[in-house]
Amino acid sequence: MVRRIDVTGSDGVRLAAWEFADPPKERADAGQAPGILLLHGLMGRATHWASTARWLSERHRPVGLDQRGHGRSDKPADGPYTRDAYVADAEAAIEQLGLAPVTLIGHSMGALTAWQLAAKRPDLVKALIICDMRASALGAASQREWEDWFGAWPLPFATLAEVRKWFGEDDPWVERPNASRGEFFAEVMAEGSDGWRPVFSQEQMLTSRATWVYDAHWEELAQVRCPTLVLRGIEGELGRAEAQEMVRVLPRGQYAEVEDAGHLVHYDRPEGWRRAVEPFLEQLAEGFRDDREPVSP
């Protein structure tokens, strides 16, 4: 079962939240199931979490949020697409959906939103999973690379098969064929009169990205007091040294990595992703011992 729930975000923006599954079988009252809010990364959408939500729903209430500018949520021409706006939207979703105290699972930009919210509203957040997001500044060169990359997209695509092939094989950012990457981007395309184009505005994505790539986010990370898992793909964008430094900075941090996974960890290696995440969630269910031992995937 997939159920859409409309949420009112910051500045009245309409956001689409998605409850992916029936109530947990082990609980008579679904409202008692621990809430999980899933936050996708830049260019993503809530449906990218569907496979994760299926196994999470055995014990939890997982809800995915299409963040502003993404998926089925509003894409206001004038924004704002600031960090404050994204964080306020997630805060509003948690409160309106009754998810608190919530476990936040965020990928890439969604992970940054998650830890900024955890620092801002510790009363709402029970635990946090950061998936392949760096705390250090990426810098101006990174933003220019993204501008060039967007300019290289051969839009419009004639078919979804062309989408899958270009992003999975022909994209100059692809080091070797990656079918899951092609599928990831096929999910964020919509058909128009002239072919397939992204459901998001590339300009708005660059505007969103510009609000965080120039700054480091270590100070906010250090303010997160809840149990936190820092997880990376071995071939992802978050290096091991930086990930382990993030764990050191976090008062209650743990570390995990997934072999043979790139940036799209939960898409590249869904089974490895589950093996890395489940032990952390089980610790939470058992009352979470405040230790610093890493979780082994």
Side-chain angles (χ1 to χ4, degrees):
M1 183 187 82
V2 180
R3 180 168 67 106
R4 173 174 169 167
I5 308 170
D6 284 338
V7 171
T8 302
S10 175
D11 303 317
V13 169
R14 182 191 56 80
L15 304 171
W18 301 89
E19 194 148 18
F20 289 104
D22 292 320
K25 299 179 180 61
E26 297 180 3
R27 295 175 183 270
D29 182 359
Q32 295 178 1
I36 292 181
L37 184 66
L38 300 153
L39 297 172
H40 60 74
L42 192 72
M43 303 182 296
R45 63 188 307 172
T47 55
H48 284 144
W49 293 110
S51 64
T52 296
R54 278 194 290 272
W55 59 263
L56 284 175
S57 65
E58 295 172 5
R59 298 183 179 181
H60 303 83
R61 182 194 173 196
V63 178
L65 180 68
D66 280 339
Q67 296 172 81
R68 64 173 57 211
H70 297 75
R72 297 289 185 88
S73 289
D74 283 349
K75 304 167 180 62
D78 299 328
Y81 294 99
T82 62
R83 287 283 80 224
D84 286 346
Y86 279 108
V87 171
D89 286 348
E91 181 180 358
I94 292 167
E95 292 180 329
Q96 291 172 40
L97 295 170
L99 293 172
V102 71
T103 294
L104 297 175
I105 301 180
H107 173 248
S108 194
M109 182 193 74
L112 176 59
T113 299
W115 89 59
Q116 289 179 326
L117 176 56
K120 176 187 177 184
R121 291 291 308 273
D123 57 309
L124 293 182
V125 183
K126 172 184 178 182
L128 173 64
I129 297 176
I130 296 170
C131 180
D132 216 65
M133 179 62 190
R134 300 177 61 182
S136 60
L138 301 181
S142 173
Q143 189 74 344
R144 288 193 297 269
E145 289 174 0
W146 272 69
E147 291 171 359
D148 293 342
W149 179 54
F150 275 150
W153 290 20
L155 298 174
F157 293 95
T159 65
L160 278 180
E162 288 190 6
V163 173
R164 295 185 179 97
K165 185 176 185 301
W166 196 83
F167 287 102
E169 300 177 25
D170 300 337
D171 184 345
W173 278 25
V174 175
E175 295 182 359
R176 62 176 183 269
N178 186 335
S180 63
R181 189 173 187 270
E183 292 295 338
F184 183 95
F185 281 97
E187 282 199 50
V188 294
M189 296 289 161
E191 188 175 19
S193 59
D194 61 347
W196 294 82
R197 295 178 180 273
V199 298
F200 52 80
S201 158
Q202 291 176 318
E203 182 178 351
Q204 290 178 357
M205 295 301 98
L206 288 172
T207 299
S208 296
R209 197 172 187 272
T211 64
W212 52 267
V213 297
Y214 302 113
D215 301 314
H217 306 283
W218 294 99
E219 183 175 348
E220 291 157 301
L221 190 69
Q223 295 171 11
V224 175
R225 293 291 181 263
C226 63
T228 301
L229 177 65
V230 178
L231 187 151
R232 60 182 286 269
I234 292 291
E235 301 172 5
E237 297 178 9
L238 175 61
R240 178 175 290 158
E242 182 171 352
Q244 292 179 343
E245 179 63 14
M246 290 169 67
V247 172
R248 189 193 68 79
V249 166
L250 285 159
R252 304 178 70 182
Q254 297 193 34
Y255 173 79
E257 58 188 25
V258 180
E259 295 182 359
D260 299 322
H263 180 58
L264 305 175
V265 182
H266 54 301
Y267 235 71
D268 283 343
R269 294 289 181 268
E271 293 181 0
W273 158 257
R274 180 174 182 174
R275 287 195 300 271
V277 169
E278 275 194 314
F280 178 76
L281 296 178
E282 288 171 1
Q283 287 183 9
L284 294 177
E286 294 168 1
F288 200 94
R289 298 180 300 276
D290 185 16
D291 55 43
R292 309 207 41 114
E293 293 299 320
V295 173
S296 298

